[in-house]
Structures are given as structure tokens and as C-alpha cells.
Amino acid sequence: MPQSVQTSQLKELAANPHFSSYLQFISGQDKTSAELAVEPGRSGPQKMSFVSTEEQWNQAVQNQVSILIAHEKLSPKDRRVDSSISLFATSNMPATFAIVLPLFDQKKSRFRPGIHPTAAIDPSAQISPEVRIGAFVVIGPDAIIEEGAMIGAQTVVEKGASVGAKTILHSQVFVGADCKVGRFCEIHPHTTIGADGFGFVPGPDSRMHKIPQLGIVVIEDFVEIGANCAIDRATLGETRIGEGTKFDNLCHVAHNCKIGKHNVFAGGFFVAGSTNIGDHCVFGGSVAVGDHISIADRVTVGGRSAVTKSIRQSGTYAGYPLESFTAAKRTLANSTYVSDLRKQVSEIRKHLKLGDKRSSAAKENK
């Protein structure tokens, strides 16, 4: 059954000093409730909607939405709505999503209470009360699953690994031997924590010889990792993901990296081994970071950039080679004129009878 959210609950949020600066109650009855949060076009009784435009406002009001959260630019305090509608104003819509939508989140209902009879749990594993363990889960010897953890079907937690309290491992997640996942984390399907790092060395026989990867991965508290990601175990020591850091889908962190706290990595982020990234950084989609690099705190890197050298100062960067964001925009704008410039230079050379001065490599490749 849908979870009903009442106006009184939202009023409590609005009264909280942490949220009151951007969520304000305007009017409505405490018992007015909503079972779903929906876009304005699907709004109606027993539903909540968020509106930022005049069109969205009209849709929600005409559909008799039960709870309406409107951006303050619509001046909701100056408007009249039916007494059946509970009205709130916000100055920050994304932040309001973050504090209101958890009231509707029924993720826990995806996981069957208790331990599924098909789960294979080693007798030496420590399983705390109130865990939810799905079908065909495998938990190895001496593994630790703390209270309130939820583990989806066909997930593997190997020997000596640990999963912290209230952490969610979705279906088909792999947590390698002795790796540690903290409290209140969420790891999405098909993600691997603790596969071997990519370590090989050429031998005298000209063959590649594997370097055993003997370290572990440590995921600190409140980390979220999207689907189809890979966090490799260290050669020695640990690969570490700092508290509160968030990864989108399809990200890769190589062995022995140290990722700081409260960073955000968009889809397709790759970082090579033994790189250190500070705290409060933001990386756009498809950013590639080289090995043995250090990146300072509060660095932002634009999408499709490549980082090949250490970044010592906080700031915003982009491009390849990496530049300040302002310089990168200028470089990108100038690149559209390169073909025209080449033609113009060629015409000038012909006019001056300087001949063809292309490089020998260019001539050979012609």
C-alpha cells in the first residue's frame, strides 16, 4: 500500500531550522494527505506536486491536487487556493525534493523481511537482527552484516567482508573478501567492490605477470555507488572512498586510490591507480583521471575532461589538456575557426610563393 504523507509532517520539516530557510507552510489542514508525489500533469486528489511555472500551477490546481509545493517566484503567498489544498512555498526546489521525497520512499518494501530460505550463509558469519537478505544471496565465512542492512537477490558478500548498519546492497552486488562497507550506504545493481586491481609487469620472458592484489576496499558511511561500477582492491593497504561521496553509474576507481569526503562523480568517471582526490569535489561525466595524481579539495572538473597532472589549487577546470574553465571555454570557441585559419594561411603562402611547408609526416601520410 502507498505510504500516506500528511500536511502536518511537511509542517514539521518547514519548522526545522535546517530547512525553514527554503520551505515555508502557507495554508492547509494538518490531516490533508497525499499517497503519491507526481508531476503536475498527473496531479489530483491524494497526490502531491511541485510546480515552478504558471502552466504547472494551473494544472495542479485544476486537478485538485492535495498538497502543492510552489516555487516562491510564483508568489504563492499572494494566491488563493481551495481549502482542500495544502500549500507550501520553496526557494530551492532541488533541496525541497531532497527533504520531502524521502517521506514517500518505500525502498524498504522491495526487500522481503527476514532471511530468504535460499540464501547461503556460512555458519561463522555474524548476522545482526532485523536484516533483510534476499533470494540466493551468498555470505561467506566470518562476514559481518550489521543491524538493519538490506541485501538484494544474488548478491555475494565474501569471506571476512562487512556491511554496515542500514546499508542497502541491491541485487547482484559483489563485495570481495575482507572489504568493508560502512553504515547508511547504498550500492546499486551489478557493482563490484573489491575485484583485483589491474596490476601486471612484463617479465624477462616478455610475458605479463600478475601482481597479486592483497589489499582491500574501505567504503565509509553514507556513500552511494550507482549501477555497474567497479571499485578495485589495493595491491597493498586499501582503496578508500570517503564519507558521503556519491558515484553515478558506470564509474571505475582503480587500486590504491584515496577518494575524499562528500565528492560527486557523474557517469563514466574513471580514475587510474594510486591517485588521491580531496573533499567536496565535483567531476562531470566521462572525466578520466590519470594515475599517481593528487587533486586538491573543492575542485570541479567539467565533463569529458582529462586530468593528467596534479591539481594543487581549488577551482573549476575543463578540457584536454586541462585548463581553467574560463580558458577551456575560450579554447573550445577558438577551435571552430581552425579550419578557416588553415585555409587562409595556405592562401597567403601561395600568394607569397612560399610553397608547401607541411610536415614530412603529413606528406608521408597523404
Side-chain angles (χ1 to χ4, degrees):
M1 291 291 291
Q3 180 173 328
S4 180
V5 174
Q6 294 190 333
T7 298
S8 57
Q9 293 173 268
L10 298 183
K11 287 175 66 176
E12 289 178 10
L13 290 177
N16 187 314
H18 294 292
F19 310 136
S20 58
S21 62
Y22 55 83
L23 180 65
Q24 299 87 40
F25 171 70
I26 297 176
S27 63
Q29 303 174 17
D30 283 358
K31 292 186 178 180
T32 298
S33 63
E35 294 181 349
L36 293 172
V38 298
E39 59 271 28
R42 293 180 52 221
S43 59
Q46 287 296 300
K47 294 179 180 179
M48 173 192 292
S49 287
F50 302 82
V51 299
S52 298
T53 67
E54 195 70 35
E55 180 182 4
Q56 292 174 342
W57 172 280
N58 291 335
Q59 285 179 323
V61 171
Q62 290 170 9
N63 291 340
Q64 296 183 316
V65 69
S66 292
I67 301 177
L68 180 59
I69 300 179
H71 196 281
E72 63 179 15
K73 68 183 180 182
L74 296 176
S75 301
K77 293 181 180 180
D78 301 328
R79 297 176 183 242
R80 290 186 178 183
V81 295
D82 190 271
S83 60
S84 64
I85 298 176
S86 290
L87 181 60
F88 291 80
T90 179
S91 59
N92 187 330
M93 193 64 79
T96 300
F97 283 168
I99 64 168
V100 171
L101 292 183
L103 297 174
F104 292 91
D105 192 354
Q106 299 185 63
K107 192 168 290 179
K108 187 175 181 179
S109 67
R110 303 180 194 176
F111 298 85
R112 168 181 169 168
I115 300 174
H116 195 278
T118 62
I121 301 176
D122 189 273
S124 64
Q126 300 177 39
I127 310 298
S128 297
E130 299 183 17
V131 297
R132 298 187 178 211
I133 297 177
F136 300 104
V137 167
V138 177
I139 299 178
D142 301 314
I144 300 172
I145 311 298
E146 294 185 0
E147 188 171 358
M150 294 185 282
I151 301 178
Q154 298 181 325
T155 286
V156 175
V157 180
E158 287 194 327
K159 175 186 75 69
S162 62
V163 177
K166 306 294 185 180
T167 281
I168 300 173
L169 305 182
H170 289 273
S171 297
Q172 298 184 331
V173 168
F174 173 87
V175 180
D178 301 312
C179 294
K180 303 179 187 302
V181 180
R183 302 173 304 126
F184 301 98
C185 294
E186 184 167 4
I187 302 178
H188 291 271
H190 310 293
T191 282
T192 296
I193 307 297
D196 280 358
F198 191 67
F200 296 88
V201 61
D205 55 1
S206 298
R207 296 182 179 181
M208 301 304 294
H209 295 267
K210 181 167 182 172
I211 301 172
Q213 304 296 293
L214 306 181
I216 63 172
V217 175
V218 177
I219 308 292
E220 295 183 4
D221 300 341
F222 299 101
V223 169
E224 182 158 349
I225 302 175
N228 295 292
C229 293
I231 315 294
D232 288 349
R233 67 173 61 243
T235 305
L236 298 171
E238 61 185 37
T239 301
R240 178 173 288 266
I241 309 298
E243 176 183 300
T245 286
K246 315 297 182 185
F247 287 91
D248 195 358
N249 304 327
L250 298 167
C251 294
H252 176 232
V253 177
H255 57 189
N256 289 95
C257 286
K258 302 292 189 294
I259 308 296
K261 302 177 186 295
H262 306 293
N263 297 300
V264 177
F265 300 94
F269 169 83
F270 297 142
V271 56
S274 299
T275 283
N276 296 329
I277 296 177
D279 301 335
H280 303 285
C281 295
V282 177
F283 288 77
S286 299
V287 170
V289 179
D291 62 294
H292 295 83
I293 284 174
S294 293
I295 297 177
D297 295 343
R298 300 187 183 279
V299 166
T300 297
V301 179
R304 292 183 172 272
S305 299
V307 184
T308 58
K309 297 179 180 179
S310 292
I311 301 175
R312 304 296 185 186
Q313 292 185 331
S314 302
T316 303
Y317 302 84
Y320 177 65
L322 198 71
E323 305 175 279
S324 71
F325 186 65
T326 299
K329 288 193 296 181
R330 188 162 52 242
T331 298
L332 184 61
N334 290 339
S335 67
T336 61
Y337 300 105
V338 171
S339 295
D340 289 340
L341 287 172
R342 289 185 62 187
K343 290 179 182 179
Q344 292 170 13
V345 170
S346 179
E347 290 173 0
I348 292 170
R349 295 188 67 86
K350 287 180 181 178
H351 179 74
L352 297 175
K353 298 181 180 180
L354 296 177
D356 188 356
K357 291 294 184 180
R358 289 177 299 167
S359 68
S360 57
K363 291 178 181 179
E364 291 174 1
N365 291 330
K366 185 175 179 181

